[in-house]
Amino acid sequence: MVHINVLSLSVCAVTGVILALVLKSTGSSMGTFVSVVLCVGTAMLVFNGLISVYTKINMFTAGINQEYIKLIVKVIGISYVTEISSNICKENGFAALASAMEIYARISVAGLCIPVIVTLFEIVSEGIV
């Protein structure tokens, strides 16, 4: 199990941002590279931490259909990955790409939720008849 120390993560992030700002102010394109590496590194640490959260969720949801739990985790993962990627794009001047990514993520989430919606309709229709 991976334990994320939020204080250590925050200190690394702030230090990296300061480094990126210094590099950007000198006109170097390395500032952008540093910011992207920081985002990817932070995301990897967070996703490793989510494994332990997923394990704990499985312990508490033993009686619930696991497909629904997997669906919730996928939706949360899509949301976080899109948010991080979108922010990187926006920060580097690619707002149109960021918007397209956000739209695609919404479509993906809607597609993932179709089985839940069908099940909901089946439950409602059985209750009416």
Side-chain angles (χ1 to χ4, degrees):
M1 299 260 178
V2 177
H3 175 71
I4 299 174
N5 185 339
V6 176
L7 182 61
S8 298
L9 186 63
S10 299
V11 168
C12 287
V14 170
T15 303
V17 167
I18 292 170
L19 176 63
L21 288 173
V22 168
L23 289 172
K24 281 184 181 181
S25 69
T26 63
S28 172
S29 61
M30 288 300 291
T32 301
F33 178 74
V34 169
S35 67
V36 170
V37 168
L38 279 170
C39 288
V40 170
T42 302
M44 288 173 45
L45 287 173
V46 170
F47 290 128
N48 283 334
L50 286 177
I51 293 170
S52 64
V53 172
Y54 181 71
T55 304
K56 289 179 183 177
I57 287 173
N58 280 334
M59 288 176 23
F60 292 114
T61 59
I64 300 174
N65 186 347
Q66 292 300 305
E67 292 303 313
Y68 294 129
I69 303 302
K70 289 178 185 176
L71 177 68
I72 291 170
V73 171
K74 285 179 184 179
V75 167
I76 292 170
I78 289 171
S79 300
Y80 283 129
V81 167
T82 303
E83 180 74 21
I84 292 167
S85 303
S86 174
N87 286 338
I88 291 172
C89 291
K90 286 177 186 174
E91 181 181 324
N92 291 297
F94 295 96
L97 178 60
S99 295
M101 290 173 51
E102 291 169 359
I103 291 169
Y104 178 73
R106 289 183 190 114
I107 293 169
S108 297
V109 167
L112 283 173
C113 292
I114 288 174
V116 176
I117 294 168
V118 168
T119 303
L120 179 64
F121 284 147
E122 289 173 355
I123 291 171
V124 169
S125 65
E126 288 174 6
I128 294 174
V129 175

